[in-house]
Amino acid sequence: MQTIKLPSKPPSSPHPVLNLGFRIFFLSAGIFAILTMLKWSHITFATKFMFDPLSQITPFYWHGHEMIYGYGLALIAGFLLTAVKTWTNQPMPYGYKLLAIFLPWALARVIHLINGIQINGLTVMAGFFDLGFWLLTAFFVIKPIYQVRQKRQMGIVAKLLFLLIGQLLFYYAMANKNLELMQGSLLAGFYLIIGVVFTIGRRVMPMFIERGIAEGGDVVYRVKNSDFLDKLSLLSFFVFFICDVFLAQLSWSRCLVSVSAVLVAVANLLRLKNWHLPQIWSRPLLWSLWLSFFGMALGFLLLAIYPWGFVSHSIAMHAVSLAGVGLMTLAMMCRVSLGHTGRSVHNPPKIVGTIFGCMVLAWLSRVVIGWTMPEHYFVSLGIAQGFWVVAFLLFVVSYAKILLSPRTDGLFG
């Protein structure tokens, strides 16, 4: 007798926002980016960075943690919990399982927004929520990669595990008032996220450019890729990471920091030269990606000269972060949110150019004005905070309906 195999039940979730990881994390990260920057602005101008080291965290470290381990990890989770499905052809969490990953992140963010720079019992609870969130994220990302034995994803897997260690070290250092360890965990976490941005950007940017220009037809224009530049960028970034995080106190490491940072910048500027096509400048979803890589490269040139006193480490880091963690993530969210909801990436909301322009202005204010006119530090900081808030407010307003609605083609996702 022939056995008839019935079709499996199609996936479903309580709400479209829980259909795939990018939806809930992109939307929530956008809202959180507004709220945490408003909180940071309040801390900036209300306290002037005055704090009680016995019961409060250094304001800079609070801001750094929420940007790196709050906003940054939410974006990585949203992207990987979506992209790994494409990479491995394995199902990813959706519905209540996805909600279980998201809730610890959200609860930790609420606690840190309420607490601000205060350290108390709620902070310990936030630490458990943060670690639980990243353990779940890492598990559901690593599991399908392991199942299909995708060795090329080992770099991503390693960064996920190191970010977990960095998060753990931060809370341990905060509990023990160890400022040096706290700073080290934040610096390491920041560079790990930039490493993820470089990795993912290298994978998707050439494809995005080629397909973004090929409107309504086959790919006509091809961009160049170079294995040599890929390896140079990876190796020089690794050397820079080790030297700036672990060897910064050693005088001889200054040369290695400078040389490796220059090599990172040069490798990525040459990449950009290979990826440049004139048509990108009429498409905001493409020029935003190109400018984000360019801003990161300029940031690494600043990191190359900071050991010699020409620029502060903070200015150089913000040049990298506002380009890589600000503009790049906004550009990726705007594009991915269209493609993965069945919408055309050739017809984004008209406001996207303004969104990206606001982030460029935030970069110029925080980096250029902050560096060239240090006497107006708080002015440059306030302007940058304002443009950041406007950029993400416009993103949330223009993309909320897209992220909360079913796919236009009727598919699940």
Side-chain angles (χ1 to χ4, degrees), residues 11 21 101 120 154 171 200 218 220 223 226 248 258 283 391:
I101 300 172
N120 51 36
M154 287 303 103
Y171 280 106
I200 294 176
D218 297 329
V220 176
V223 299
S226 166
S258 295
R283 295 165 172 82

Side-chain angles (χ1 to χ4, degrees), residues 183-206:
Q183 182 185 35
S185 69
L186 290 176
L187 195 59
F190 171 69
Y191 289 141
L192 284 168
I193 288 178
I194 294 302
V196 173
V197 170
F198 272 135
T199 300
I200 294 176
R202 164 60 185 86
R203 291 186 184 183
V204 303
M205 195 166 155

Side-chain angles (χ1 to χ4, degrees), residues 20 64 70 79 95 154 172 201 254-255 298 300 303 322 324 345 390 395:
L20 208 53
F79 184 86
M154 287 303 103
Y172 172 82
R254 293 191 300 173
C255 291
L298 294 182
F300 272 93
L303 284 169
L322 281 169
V345 298
V390 172
F395 167 76

Side-chain angles (χ1 to χ4, degrees), residues 308-325:
W308 313 101
F310 294 107
V311 65
S312 72
H313 193 263
S314 176
I315 291 291
M317 284 184 60
H318 278 86
V320 176
S321 64
L322 281 169
V325 184

Side-chain angles (χ1 to χ4, degrees), residues 364-383:
L364 291 172
S365 175
R366 185 67 179 88
V367 177
V368 178
I369 298 177
W371 182 22
T372 59
M373 292 183 279
E375 67 276 13
H376 298 299
Y377 169 79
F378 282 101
V379 174
S380 68
L381 187 59
I383 294 173

Side-chain angles (χ1 to χ4, degrees), residues 33-305:
I34 298 168
L35 297 177
T36 195
M37 191 56 69
L38 291 174
K39 184 73 174 184
W40 175 232
S41 182
H42 169 74
I43 292 173
T44 300
F45 295 99
T47 70
K48 297 292 184 180
F49 308 129
M50 299 295 292
F51 68 103
D52 179 2
L54 297 179
S55 62
Q56 294 177 325
I57 185 176
T58 307
F60 293 108
Y61 293 172
W62 176 88
H63 171 60
H65 180 268
E66 290 306 279
M67 284 289 96
I68 296 165
Y69 292 109
Y71 173 79
L73 293 198
L75 264 297
I76 292 174
F79 184 86
L80 291 180
L81 290 172
T82 302
V84 169
K85 181 180 180 180
T86 303
W87 297 346
T88 65
N89 200 30
Q90 298 293 309
M92 296 302 289
Y94 61 88
Y96 291 113
K97 190 179 289 186
L98 177 59
L99 184 62
I101 300 172
F102 167 77
L103 280 179
W105 175 86
L107 291 170
R109 304 289 68 76
V110 170
I111 290 173
H112 281 299
L113 284 171
I114 294 173
N115 258 10
I117 62 174
Q118 304 298 322
I119 300 176
N120 51 36
L122 286 175
T123 312
V124 177
M125 190 180 299
F128 282 110
F129 285 140
D130 265 336
L131 292 171
F133 152 65
W134 202 241
L135 278 170
L136 287 169
T137 300
F139 172 78
F140 283 108
V141 169
I142 294 172
K143 181 183 176 183
I145 291 174
Y146 174 77
Q147 286 175 329
V148 300
R149 304 295 196 272
Q150 277 195 350
K151 295 182 179 179
R152 69 186 297 260
Q153 312 299 352
M154 287 303 103
I156 292 290
V157 170
K159 291 180 180 73
L160 294 181
L161 297 177
F162 283 130
L163 282 166
L164 177 64
I165 295 172
Q167 179 81 282
L168 180 62
L169 288 176
F170 177 85
Y171 280 106
Y172 172 82
M174 186 167 60
N176 291 275
K177 309 295 190 300
N178 188 330
L179 296 181
E180 184 177 353
L181 181 58
M182 208 181 302
Q183 182 185 35
S185 69
L186 290 176
L187 195 59
F190 171 69
Y191 289 141
L192 284 168
I193 288 178
I194 294 302
V196 173
V197 170
F198 272 135
T199 300
I200 294 176
R202 164 60 185 86
R203 291 186 184 183
V204 303
M205 195 166 155
M207 176 188 66
F208 283 177
I209 290 174
E210 291 174 350
R211 293 183 180 180
I213 291 174
E215 185 174 354
D218 297 329
V219 173
V220 176
Y221 299 97
R222 295 286 183 181
V223 299
K224 299 177 183 178
N225 287 307
S226 166
D227 289 338
F228 172 75
L229 291 178
D230 292 345
K231 292 174 183 177
L232 177 62
S233 178
L234 178 65
L235 179 61
S236 56
F237 180 77
F238 177 75
V239 173
F240 172 82
F241 175 90
I242 296 299
C243 290
D244 201 41
V245 175
F246 300 106
L247 306 176
Q249 304 302 321
L250 304 176
S251 58
W252 57 265
S253 72
R254 293 191 300 173
C255 291
L256 275 178
V257 166
S258 295
V259 171
S260 57
V262 166
L263 289 176
V264 172
V266 169
N268 284 283
L269 287 172
L270 290 175
R271 274 176 167 175
L272 285 176
K273 178 178 178 295
N274 291 338
W275 294 343
H276 182 267
L277 293 171
Q279 294 89 336
I280 68 173
W281 299 107
S282 62
R283 295 165 172 82
L285 292 180
L286 298 182
W287 62 251
S288 55
L289 290 169
W290 199 93
L291 282 184
S292 67
F293 255 81
F294 183 68
M296 285 193 291
L298 294 182
F300 272 93
L301 290 178
L302 294 180
L303 284 169
I305 63 175

